[in-house]
Amino acid sequence: MKLITFRYEGTERVGVLTADETAVKPLPYADMNTLIERCPLSELSAVAASATEAPIPMTHVTLLAPIPHPRQDLICLGMNYQDHLDEAAQYDAGFSLEKPEASYFSKRVGRTVDPDGMIPSHPGLVERLDYENELAVIIGKPARNIRSQDAADCIFGYTIVNDVSARDVQTQHKQWFFGKSLDGFAPMGPCILTADEVAFPPALRISTRVNGELRQNSCTDHFIYPIADVLEELSSGITLLPGTILSTGTPAGVGMGFDPPRFLHPGDVVECTIEGIGTLTNTVQ
Ligand code: MG
């Protein structure tokens, strides 16, 4: 199933797309966080079947980011594709990893950007604006001390996050938090693809275009740190609550990976696509 958040007649709702994706069937939850918390994936089909509201044509609704207000900061993986690690280290030696452990950081998100929303360029603060197309894993039930072989059971679904990054801000501080967390730096969507629709671990084509030009083109089975191992490691010390968003890192082809670098400017259109989930199309403001 594909779950979406949408606005209809002035109200934000959640629902499931019909098979032909031309309409959305509203579900009886206040928002996506509540749905994830209260409706186990195993019960979602029955809930959708028993929902009484008629499907609403997609032409009558405004599509919003599936989780407009994450309850916690996003957990992000840095350097999870070898080709991206290589290009980042070429841009700035500080990016090179000498240790074999995963690199984790958090990303503050007050409001995710809608699938067709604007990415603010923060003039005066940011000169090196960049994109990072990433598969985001959404946790469905409290996860503590998960073994890697059981990790798939705690995943509710997947979406796309563009981990927009201010490279100048990111590298001038010792931590990446500020340069990754500016307002409007987390476009998300267009839907949550439920985990039962995807073989685990997911092997999905991931590609990015900027103004129509193909920049990133890879597959989510190229991870250095597999999702199952990451969930085992994180849950050994952190209880991952329902609605937790884990953004799994980006492949090669970001702006800083080019020589000379090709950063984003107002008017640029960034399209992030992941097979089976869809495309985010965001314009730099
Ligand atoms: Mg990233």
Side-chain angles (χ1 to χ4, degrees):
M1 279 173 281
K2 287 183 173 179
L3 300 172
I4 64 168
T5 295
F6 61 97
R7 186 181 299 113
Y8 178 64
E9 295 184 338
T11 303
E12 288 191 16
R13 305 287 305 274
V14 294
V16 58
L17 287 180
T18 56
D20 63 5
E21 301 186 12
T22 62
V24 56
K25 188 173 189 182
L27 297 176
Y29 298 96
D31 53 40
M32 194 67 78
N33 284 320
T34 307
L35 186 160
I36 294 168
E37 191 175 66
R38 297 188 184 168
C39 182
L41 188 52
S42 58
E43 296 176 17
L44 186 57
S45 292
V47 167
S50 62
T52 53
E53 286 188 68
I56 305 167
M58 287 301 290
T59 51
H60 293 188
V61 309
T62 302
L63 184 64
L64 305 176
I67 303 179
H69 299 282
R71 284 184 175 158
Q72 297 179 305
D73 290 354
L74 273 57
I75 300 174
C76 298
L77 270 159
M79 309 304 165
N80 200 19
Y81 293 78
Q82 186 62 47
D83 53 3
H84 176 57
L85 175 57
D86 294 342
E87 71 175 359
Q90 200 161 21
Y91 173 77
D92 185 323
F95 282 114
S96 61
L97 291 183
E98 294 174 358
K99 296 188 297 181
E101 285 84 19
S103 171
Y104 300 117
F105 64 94
S106 64
K107 183 178 180 79
R108 173 62 50 87
V109 180
R111 172 65 164 89
T112 51
V113 174
D114 297 329
D116 62 352
M118 307 293 281
I119 298 171
S121 56
H122 296 272
L125 174 63
V126 178
E127 293 183 354
R128 299 182 175 187
L129 185 69
D130 212 346
Y131 51 88
E132 296 189 355
N133 185 0
E134 306 196 1
L135 178 72
V137 176
I138 298 163
I139 300 299
K141 49 189 172 187
R144 181 69 203 262
N145 291 324
I146 295 294
R147 296 178 305 168
S148 62
Q149 58 265 41
D150 300 324
D153 295 339
C154 68
I155 297 175
F156 181 83
Y158 303 93
T159 191
I160 304 169
V161 166
N162 183 349
D163 177 22
V164 179
S165 306
R167 299 298 181 203
D168 37 1
V169 180
Q170 180 184 354
T171 54
Q172 77 192 31
H173 297 274
K174 285 191 176 180
Q175 300 282 334
W176 294 357
F177 178 81
F178 186 27
K180 293 281 191 174
S181 298
L182 304 188
D183 291 349
F185 271 20
M188 174 190 282
C191 69
I192 294 174
L193 180 67
T194 53
D196 53 341
E197 300 275 3
V198 186
F200 189 85
L204 305 173
R205 298 302 309 178
I206 177 169
S207 61
T208 307
R209 291 180 182 274
V210 177
N211 301 328
E213 177 192 337
L214 185 65
R215 296 281 188 90
Q216 296 187 284
N217 189 18
S218 187
C219 184
T220 62
D221 64 357
H222 292 356
F223 291 152
I224 299 172
Y225 309 102
I227 293 169
D229 293 353
V230 166
L231 293 180
E232 177 174 301
E233 181 165 75
L234 289 174
S235 74
S236 71
I238 301 173
T239 302
L240 303 174
L241 299 174
T244 294
I245 300 163
L246 172 72
S247 203
T248 56
T250 200
V254 300
M256 73 172 172
F258 291 87
D259 185 17
R262 302 173 72 182
F263 296 115
L264 297 172
H265 302 286
D268 286 346
V269 178
V270 185
E271 296 172 87
C272 295
T273 300
I274 296 182
E275 177 186 3
I277 302 174
T279 299
L280 299 177
T281 304
N282 302 102
T283 303
V284 179
Q285 195 167 29

Short mmCIF file of all heavy atoms in Angstrom, two decimals, residues 57-106:
data_model
loop_
_atom_site.label_atom_id
_atom_site.label_comp_id
_atom_site.label_asym_id
_atom_site.label_seq_id
_atom_site.Cartn_x
_atom_site.Cartn_y
_atom_site.Cartn_z
N PRO A 57 -10.88 11.80 -5.43
CA PRO A 57 -9.95 11.89 -6.57
C PRO A 57 -8.72 12.71 -6.20
O PRO A 57 -8.83 13.75 -5.53
CB PRO A 57 -10.78 12.59 -7.65
CG PRO A 57 -12.21 12.34 -7.27
CD PRO A 57 -12.22 12.30 -5.77
N MET A 58 -7.56 12.27 -6.65
CA MET A 58 -6.32 12.99 -6.35
C MET A 58 -6.33 14.40 -6.92
O MET A 58 -5.64 15.29 -6.43
CB MET A 58 -5.10 12.21 -6.86
CG MET A 58 -4.78 10.96 -6.04
SD MET A 58 -4.42 11.34 -4.30
CE MET A 58 -2.84 12.18 -4.45
N THR A 59 -7.12 14.59 -7.98
CA THR A 59 -7.21 15.93 -8.57
C THR A 59 -7.91 16.92 -7.64
O THR A 59 -7.86 18.13 -7.87
CB THR A 59 -7.98 15.87 -9.91
OG1 THR A 59 -9.22 15.18 -9.69
CG2 THR A 59 -7.17 15.14 -10.96
N HIS A 60 -8.57 16.41 -6.58
CA HIS A 60 -9.30 17.27 -5.65
C HIS A 60 -8.53 17.55 -4.37
O HIS A 60 -9.03 18.24 -3.48
CB HIS A 60 -10.65 16.64 -5.30
CG HIS A 60 -11.60 16.58 -6.46
ND1 HIS A 60 -12.92 16.20 -6.32
CD2 HIS A 60 -11.41 16.82 -7.78
CE1 HIS A 60 -13.51 16.23 -7.51
NE2 HIS A 60 -12.60 16.60 -8.41
N VAL A 61 -7.34 16.94 -4.23
CA VAL A 61 -6.59 17.09 -2.98
C VAL A 61 -5.22 17.71 -3.25
O VAL A 61 -4.74 17.71 -4.39
CB VAL A 61 -6.41 15.74 -2.24
CG1 VAL A 61 -7.75 15.02 -2.10
CG2 VAL A 61 -5.38 14.85 -2.93
N THR A 62 -4.60 18.22 -2.20
CA THR A 62 -3.22 18.70 -2.27
C THR A 62 -2.34 17.68 -1.56
O THR A 62 -2.57 17.37 -0.38
CB THR A 62 -3.07 20.07 -1.58
OG1 THR A 62 -3.96 20.99 -2.22
CG2 THR A 62 -1.65 20.58 -1.67
N LEU A 63 -1.36 17.15 -2.27
CA LEU A 63 -0.46 16.15 -1.69
C LEU A 63 0.54 16.85 -0.78
O LEU A 63 1.20 17.82 -1.18
CB LEU A 63 0.27 15.40 -2.81
CG LEU A 63 1.18 14.26 -2.37
CD1 LEU A 63 0.39 13.15 -1.69
CD2 LEU A 63 1.98 13.72 -3.55
N LEU A 64 0.68 16.34 0.44
CA LEU A 64 1.63 16.89 1.41
C LEU A 64 2.71 15.85 1.70
O LEU A 64 2.58 14.68 1.31
CB LEU A 64 0.90 17.25 2.72
CG LEU A 64 -0.29 18.21 2.57
CD1 LEU A 64 -0.97 18.39 3.93
CD2 LEU A 64 0.16 19.56 2.02
N ALA A 65 3.77 16.26 2.39
CA ALA A 65 4.76 15.29 2.84
C ALA A 65 4.06 14.26 3.74
O ALA A 65 3.19 14.61 4.53
CB ALA A 65 5.87 15.98 3.61
N PRO A 66 4.43 12.97 3.63
CA PRO A 66 3.69 11.95 4.38
C PRO A 66 3.76 12.13 5.89
O PRO A 66 2.80 11.82 6.59
CB PRO A 66 4.34 10.63 3.93
CG PRO A 66 5.62 11.01 3.26
CD PRO A 66 5.44 12.39 2.74
N ILE A 67 4.91 12.60 6.41
CA ILE A 67 5.01 12.92 7.84
C ILE A 67 5.41 14.39 7.92
O ILE A 67 6.60 14.73 7.94
CB ILE A 67 6.04 12.01 8.55
CG1 ILE A 67 5.68 10.54 8.36
CG2 ILE A 67 6.11 12.35 10.05
CD1 ILE A 67 6.66 9.56 9.02
N PRO A 68 4.42 15.30 7.97
CA PRO A 68 4.74 16.73 7.94
C PRO A 68 5.56 17.17 9.15
O PRO A 68 6.41 18.05 9.04
CB PRO A 68 3.36 17.40 7.93
CG PRO A 68 2.43 16.35 7.38
CD PRO A 68 2.97 15.05 7.89
N HIS A 69 5.29 16.57 10.30
CA HIS A 69 5.98 16.97 11.54
C HIS A 69 6.55 15.73 12.23
O HIS A 69 5.88 15.13 13.08
CB HIS A 69 5.00 17.70 12.48
CG HIS A 69 4.41 18.94 11.91
ND1 HIS A 69 5.10 20.13 11.84
CD2 HIS A 69 3.20 19.18 11.32
CE1 HIS A 69 4.34 21.06 11.28
NE2 HIS A 69 3.19 20.51 10.95
N PRO A 70 7.78 15.35 11.88
CA PRO A 70 8.39 14.22 12.59
C PRO A 70 8.45 14.51 14.09
O PRO A 70 8.71 15.64 14.50
CB PRO A 70 9.80 14.14 11.98
CG PRO A 70 9.66 14.79 10.63
CD PRO A 70 8.63 15.87 10.82
N ARG A 71 8.20 13.47 14.89
CA ARG A 71 8.19 13.69 16.34
C ARG A 71 9.59 13.86 16.90
O ARG A 71 9.76 14.45 17.96
CB ARG A 71 7.49 12.50 17.03
CG ARG A 71 5.99 12.56 16.87
CD ARG A 71 5.33 11.44 17.64
NE ARG A 71 3.87 11.55 17.58
CZ ARG A 71 3.05 10.55 17.79
NH1 ARG A 71 3.54 9.35 18.07
NH2 ARG A 71 1.75 10.73 17.71
N GLN A 72 10.56 13.30 16.23
CA GLN A 72 11.95 13.43 16.68
C GLN A 72 12.82 13.81 15.49
O GLN A 72 12.42 13.66 14.34
CB GLN A 72 12.44 12.10 17.27
CG GLN A 72 11.67 11.66 18.50
CD GLN A 72 12.17 10.33 19.02
OE1 GLN A 72 12.23 9.34 18.31
NE2 GLN A 72 12.54 10.31 20.30
N ASP A 73 14.02 14.27 15.79
CA ASP A 73 14.98 14.53 14.72
C ASP A 73 15.16 13.26 13.87
O ASP A 73 15.10 12.14 14.39
CB ASP A 73 16.34 14.91 15.30
CG ASP A 73 16.33 16.29 15.96
OD1 ASP A 73 15.31 16.99 15.87
OD2 ASP A 73 17.36 16.64 16.56
N LEU A 74 15.42 13.46 12.59
CA LEU A 74 15.75 12.31 11.75
C LEU A 74 17.12 11.77 12.15
O LEU A 74 18.03 12.53 12.50
CB LEU A 74 15.80 12.73 10.27
CG LEU A 74 14.48 12.72 9.48
CD1 LEU A 74 13.42 13.59 10.11
CD2 LEU A 74 14.73 13.13 8.03
N ILE A 75 17.24 10.44 12.12
CA ILE A 75 18.55 9.80 12.30
C ILE A 75 19.11 9.56 10.90
O ILE A 75 18.44 8.93 10.07
CB ILE A 75 18.44 8.47 13.05
CG1 ILE A 75 17.83 8.68 14.44
CG2 ILE A 75 19.81 7.80 13.16
CD1 ILE A 75 17.55 7.38 15.18
N CYS A 76 20.29 10.10 10.65
CA CYS A 76 20.86 9.99 9.30
C CYS A 76 22.16 9.21 9.31
O CYS A 76 22.93 9.26 10.28
CB CYS A 76 21.14 11.39 8.75
SG CYS A 76 19.68 12.42 8.57
N LEU A 77 22.37 8.49 8.23
CA LEU A 77 23.64 7.81 8.01
C LEU A 77 24.46 8.65 7.04
O LEU A 77 23.97 9.05 5.98
CB LEU A 77 23.39 6.44 7.38
CG LEU A 77 23.20 5.27 8.33
CD1 LEU A 77 22.48 4.15 7.63
CD2 LEU A 77 24.55 4.80 8.84
N GLY A 78 25.69 8.95 7.42
CA GLY A 78 26.60 9.60 6.49
C GLY A 78 27.45 8.54 5.80
O GLY A 78 27.75 7.51 6.39
N MET A 79 27.77 8.76 4.57
CA MET A 79 28.72 7.89 3.87
C MET A 79 28.31 6.41 3.91
O MET A 79 28.96 5.58 4.52
CB MET A 79 30.12 8.04 4.47
CG MET A 79 30.58 9.47 4.58
SD MET A 79 30.52 10.29 2.98
CE MET A 79 30.65 11.99 3.49
N ASN A 80 27.21 6.12 3.24
CA ASN A 80 26.76 4.72 3.23
C ASN A 80 26.83 4.09 1.84
O ASN A 80 26.36 2.98 1.64
CB ASN A 80 25.33 4.64 3.78
CG ASN A 80 24.99 3.23 4.23
OD1 ASN A 80 25.87 2.41 4.47
ND2 ASN A 80 23.70 2.94 4.33
N TYR A 81 27.36 4.83 0.87
CA TYR A 81 27.66 4.25 -0.45
C TYR A 81 29.15 4.54 -0.69
O TYR A 81 29.60 5.69 -0.54
CB TYR A 81 26.87 4.92 -1.57
CG TYR A 81 25.36 4.72 -1.58
CD1 TYR A 81 24.54 5.43 -0.70
CD2 TYR A 81 24.76 3.86 -2.50
CE1 TYR A 81 23.16 5.28 -0.75
CE2 TYR A 81 23.37 3.71 -2.54
CZ TYR A 81 22.58 4.42 -1.67
OH TYR A 81 21.21 4.29 -1.71
N GLN A 82 29.91 3.54 -1.10
CA GLN A 82 31.35 3.72 -1.27
C GLN A 82 31.67 4.82 -2.28
O GLN A 82 32.59 5.62 -2.09
CB GLN A 82 32.01 2.40 -1.71
CG GLN A 82 33.54 2.47 -1.77
CD GLN A 82 34.16 2.77 -0.41
OE1 GLN A 82 33.82 2.18 0.60
NE2 GLN A 82 35.09 3.74 -0.38
N ASP A 83 30.88 4.89 -3.38
CA ASP A 83 31.20 5.89 -4.40
C ASP A 83 30.99 7.31 -3.88
O ASP A 83 31.70 8.24 -4.24
CB ASP A 83 30.41 5.65 -5.70
CG ASP A 83 28.91 5.53 -5.51
OD1 ASP A 83 28.43 5.69 -4.36
OD2 ASP A 83 28.21 5.28 -6.52
N HIS A 84 29.99 7.50 -2.99
CA HIS A 84 29.78 8.83 -2.39
C HIS A 84 30.89 9.16 -1.40
O HIS A 84 31.35 10.30 -1.33
CB HIS A 84 28.42 8.90 -1.71
CG HIS A 84 28.17 10.20 -1.00
ND1 HIS A 84 28.23 11.42 -1.63
CD2 HIS A 84 27.90 10.48 0.31
CE1 HIS A 84 27.98 12.39 -0.75
NE2 HIS A 84 27.79 11.84 0.43
N LEU A 85 31.34 8.16 -0.65
CA LEU A 85 32.46 8.38 0.28
C LEU A 85 33.68 8.85 -0.49
O LEU A 85 34.38 9.79 -0.07
CB LEU A 85 32.76 7.08 1.04
CG LEU A 85 33.97 7.08 1.98
CD1 LEU A 85 33.85 8.17 3.03
CD2 LEU A 85 34.08 5.72 2.68
N ASP A 86 33.93 8.23 -1.65
CA ASP A 86 35.09 8.60 -2.47
C ASP A 86 34.98 10.04 -2.96
O ASP A 86 35.94 10.81 -2.90
CB ASP A 86 35.22 7.64 -3.66
CG ASP A 86 35.56 6.22 -3.22
OD1 ASP A 86 36.02 6.05 -2.08
OD2 ASP A 86 35.35 5.30 -4.03
N GLU A 87 33.79 10.44 -3.46
CA GLU A 87 33.66 11.79 -4.01
C GLU A 87 33.71 12.83 -2.90
O GLU A 87 34.23 13.93 -3.09
CB GLU A 87 32.36 11.94 -4.83
CG GLU A 87 31.08 11.95 -4.01
CD GLU A 87 29.82 12.22 -4.82
OE1 GLU A 87 29.92 12.43 -6.04
OE2 GLU A 87 28.73 12.20 -4.21
N ALA A 88 33.16 12.50 -1.72
CA ALA A 88 33.17 13.45 -0.61
C ALA A 88 34.60 13.67 -0.10
O ALA A 88 35.00 14.80 0.20
CB ALA A 88 32.28 12.95 0.52
N ALA A 89 35.38 12.59 -0.02
CA ALA A 89 36.76 12.71 0.45
C ALA A 89 37.61 13.52 -0.52
O ALA A 89 38.55 14.22 -0.13
CB ALA A 89 37.36 11.32 0.66
N GLN A 90 37.24 13.47 -1.79
CA GLN A 90 37.96 14.25 -2.80
C GLN A 90 37.65 15.75 -2.64
O GLN A 90 38.51 16.60 -2.85
CB GLN A 90 37.54 13.78 -4.20
CG GLN A 90 38.52 14.14 -5.29
CD GLN A 90 38.32 13.27 -6.52
OE1 GLN A 90 37.26 12.68 -6.73
NE2 GLN A 90 39.32 13.20 -7.36
N TYR A 91 36.40 16.04 -2.24
CA TYR A 91 35.98 17.44 -2.03
C TYR A 91 36.63 18.01 -0.78
O TYR A 91 37.09 19.15 -0.76
CB TYR A 91 34.46 17.48 -1.91
CG TYR A 91 33.89 18.83 -1.53
CD1 TYR A 91 33.78 19.86 -2.45
CD2 TYR A 91 33.45 19.07 -0.22
CE1 TYR A 91 33.26 21.09 -2.09
CE2 TYR A 91 32.92 20.29 0.15
CZ TYR A 91 32.82 21.30 -0.79
OH TYR A 91 32.30 22.52 -0.43
N ASP A 92 36.64 17.21 0.31
CA ASP A 92 37.19 17.68 1.58
C ASP A 92 37.69 16.46 2.34
O ASP A 92 36.91 15.55 2.64
CB ASP A 92 36.08 18.37 2.38
CG ASP A 92 36.59 19.01 3.68
OD1 ASP A 92 37.47 18.41 4.34
OD2 ASP A 92 36.11 20.09 4.03
N ALA A 93 39.00 16.45 2.63
CA ALA A 93 39.60 15.27 3.26
C ALA A 93 38.94 14.93 4.59
O ALA A 93 39.02 13.79 5.07
CB ALA A 93 41.10 15.49 3.46
N GLY A 94 38.28 15.91 5.19
CA GLY A 94 37.61 15.66 6.47
C GLY A 94 36.50 14.63 6.38
O GLY A 94 36.06 14.09 7.39
N PHE A 95 36.03 14.37 5.17
CA PHE A 95 34.94 13.41 5.00
C PHE A 95 35.43 11.95 5.00
O PHE A 95 34.64 11.04 5.10
CB PHE A 95 34.20 13.65 3.69
CG PHE A 95 33.24 14.81 3.74
CD1 PHE A 95 33.45 15.94 2.98
CD2 PHE A 95 32.11 14.76 4.55
CE1 PHE A 95 32.56 17.00 3.01
CE2 PHE A 95 31.21 15.82 4.59
CZ PHE A 95 31.44 16.95 3.82
N SER A 96 36.72 11.73 4.84
CA SER A 96 37.20 10.35 4.72
C SER A 96 37.02 9.61 6.04
O SER A 96 37.19 10.17 7.12
CB SER A 96 38.67 10.33 4.30
OG SER A 96 39.45 10.97 5.27
N LEU A 97 36.67 8.35 5.95
CA LEU A 97 36.44 7.53 7.13
C LEU A 97 37.62 6.59 7.32
O LEU A 97 37.94 5.82 6.42
CB LEU A 97 35.16 6.71 6.98
CG LEU A 97 33.83 7.46 7.00
CD1 LEU A 97 32.69 6.46 6.90
CD2 LEU A 97 33.69 8.28 8.25
N GLU A 98 38.23 6.67 8.47
CA GLU A 98 39.32 5.76 8.75
C GLU A 98 38.84 4.57 9.56
O GLU A 98 39.48 3.54 9.63
CB GLU A 98 40.44 6.49 9.50
CG GLU A 98 41.10 7.56 8.63
CD GLU A 98 42.11 8.38 9.39
OE1 GLU A 98 42.27 8.14 10.60
OE2 GLU A 98 42.73 9.25 8.77
N LYS A 99 37.68 4.74 10.20
CA LYS A 99 37.16 3.66 11.03
C LYS A 99 36.07 2.92 10.25
O LYS A 99 35.37 3.50 9.43
CB LYS A 99 36.57 4.22 12.32
CG LYS A 99 37.62 4.89 13.21
CD LYS A 99 37.02 5.26 14.56
CE LYS A 99 35.89 6.26 14.44
NZ LYS A 99 35.34 6.62 15.75
N PRO A 100 35.92 1.64 10.52
CA PRO A 100 34.92 0.86 9.78
C PRO A 100 33.50 1.04 10.30
O PRO A 100 32.58 0.46 9.77
CB PRO A 100 35.39 -0.58 10.00
CG PRO A 100 36.10 -0.56 11.32
CD PRO A 100 36.73 0.80 11.42
N GLU A 101 33.31 1.87 11.33
CA GLU A 101 31.97 2.01 11.91
C GLU A 101 31.11 3.00 11.11
O GLU A 101 31.63 3.91 10.46
CB GLU A 101 32.06 2.50 13.37
CG GLU A 101 32.51 1.44 14.35
CD GLU A 101 34.01 1.31 14.40
OE1 GLU A 101 34.69 2.25 13.97
OE2 GLU A 101 34.50 0.26 14.86
N ALA A 102 29.80 2.81 11.22
CA ALA A 102 28.85 3.71 10.56
C ALA A 102 28.94 5.11 11.16
O ALA A 102 29.26 5.28 12.33
CB ALA A 102 27.43 3.17 10.70
N SER A 103 28.66 6.12 10.34
CA SER A 103 28.67 7.51 10.77
C SER A 103 27.22 7.97 10.92
O SER A 103 26.47 8.00 9.95
CB SER A 103 29.40 8.34 9.72
OG SER A 103 29.25 9.72 9.98
N TYR A 104 26.83 8.31 12.15
CA TYR A 104 25.46 8.74 12.41
C TYR A 104 25.42 10.23 12.75
O TYR A 104 26.32 10.74 13.41
CB TYR A 104 24.87 7.98 13.61
CG TYR A 104 24.82 6.48 13.44
CD1 TYR A 104 25.55 5.64 14.27
CD2 TYR A 104 24.04 5.90 12.44
CE1 TYR A 104 25.50 4.26 14.12
CE2 TYR A 104 23.98 4.52 12.29
CZ TYR A 104 24.71 3.71 13.13
OH TYR A 104 24.67 2.35 12.98
N PHE A 105 24.37 10.89 12.29
CA PHE A 105 24.14 12.27 12.74
C PHE A 105 22.64 12.50 12.74
O PHE A 105 21.86 11.70 12.21
CB PHE A 105 24.86 13.28 11.85
CG PHE A 105 24.39 13.32 10.41
CD1 PHE A 105 23.43 14.24 10.01
CD2 PHE A 105 24.93 12.46 9.47
CE1 PHE A 105 23.01 14.28 8.70
CE2 PHE A 105 24.51 12.51 8.15
CZ PHE A 105 23.54 13.41 7.76
N SER A 106 22.23 13.60 13.39
CA SER A 106 20.80 13.89 13.43
C SER A 106 20.50 15.14 12.61
O SER A 106 21.38 15.98 12.38
CB SER A 106 20.30 14.06 14.87
OG SER A 106 20.92 15.16 15.47
#
